[in-house]
Structures are given as C-alpha cells and as structure tokens.
Amino acid sequence: MRTIARRMAVAAAALLAVAGGITFSTATPAMAGGWGCSGTEVSDSPFAVKAYGGQVLSHVHLFWDSSTGRNCAVNVKAGSLYGTAGFISIRLIECREDTPGGSSDCTSIENRPDGSDNYRYYAGPVSVPGSGHCIWVEGITSGPSAIGYYTSPTFHC
C-alpha cells in the first residue's frame, strides 16, 4: 500500500513539475509567431543593438518568407528593458541593388519605418519585398543611460 502511495506521489510531483514548467515558460505567443512576421528567421539573425559601451539593449530579428518573397523585421528589447516603456524603432529598406555592399550602398525602393514610439516589448513588424533585391535594416533602442544602434550592410540579396 505504501509503495503505491509513494509511486502516486512521485507521479503527481512529476506532473506538477512539468505543468509548472509550461506555466512559467518565458516564451510568449508573439515570440512563437515571429512577433508578427511570417516565414523563417534568417540564419545570422538576431543582430544585437548595442550602446557605445557594448551593452546589448535589444535584438533585431530578420525573417524571410519564401512563399511571399518578403522580408520582415522586428526590434525586441533585451534584459531589464524588456517590458519597460522606452524608445525603440525598426526600419527596413528594400534596395535597388542586387549584390551585397556597405551600409551606404542601398538606393531605397521601398522604405518601411515602424512609427517608432515608446514600446514596452518590441517595435515592428515591418516588411518589404526582397526577391531579387538586397535589403538594409536599422534598429535603435534607448536605455536608461544609453542609446544603442544596429545598422546592417546591404545584404540578404
């Protein structure tokens, strides 16, 4: 009788541990869905948005949807900034160029800023066509004592 009760107690504890793990998971539905972007996150994404001293304030995530031929980007706050209202922005540009280059080698065909604001979690999503063209992405995030920038080269052609 004690053996059965002990086994049931162990099974109940294991079930509670599993349920607790699911309940306290840090992934949100927005994260699981690419923050509103469809497609697949590109292999070298995310890109750190860093302040001058090297502190990472956020991450730019870039997605490619082969079924629509569109690129999509979001800028997601990191660490203690996540959940705190403060300036954050994302901008994605479809370039006329079709070969990779520097950050100033992009002649804009379509420019999609996100209407930057004081968001708590992330800015975006923004998307542009990308099939046959390069793109350029920029993320800016303000922390309590620093501003971080990420500017890509002309890439993902």
Side-chain angles (χ1 to χ4, degrees):
M1 187 75 122
R2 284 186 174 171
T3 305
I4 292 173
R6 188 175 298 150
R7 286 182 184 166
M8 288 181 71
V10 169
L15 182 60
L16 285 173
V18 169
I22 293 169
T23 303
F24 296 110
S25 172
T26 58
T28 65
M31 291 169 68
W35 298 277
C37 290
S38 61
T40 305
E41 189 162 13
V42 300
S43 62
D44 47 353
S45 174
F47 308 99
V49 178
K50 295 181 180 180
Y52 180 72
Q55 177 189 11
V56 176
L57 302 178
S58 63
H59 291 95
V60 170
H61 294 263
L62 180 63
F63 296 82
W64 166 249
D65 189 332
S66 59
S67 68
T68 63
R70 294 188 72 82
N71 290 288
C72 183
V74 293
N75 187 5
V76 182
K77 290 187 174 184
S80 64
L81 293 180
Y82 192 79
T84 304
F87 181 83
I88 185 169
S89 72
I90 186 75
R91 185 166 59 145
L92 184 59
I93 297 175
E94 177 190 13
C95 305
R96 185 171 316 283
E97 292 75 20
D98 59 4
T99 55
S103 60
S104 62
D105 295 334
C106 178
T107 307
S108 176
I109 294 175
E110 185 170 345
N111 184 345
R112 290 285 181 219
D114 75 323
S116 309
D117 205 344
N118 290 316
Y119 300 119
R120 293 181 57 173
Y121 301 101
Y122 64 95
V126 292
S127 69
V128 296
S131 190
H133 297 278
C134 299
I135 60 166
W136 180 86
V137 64
E138 173 186 72
I140 303 172
T141 304
S142 179
S145 59
I147 296 177
Y149 297 92
Y150 170 77
T151 303
S152 76
T154 300
F155 71 148
H156 285 281
C157 307

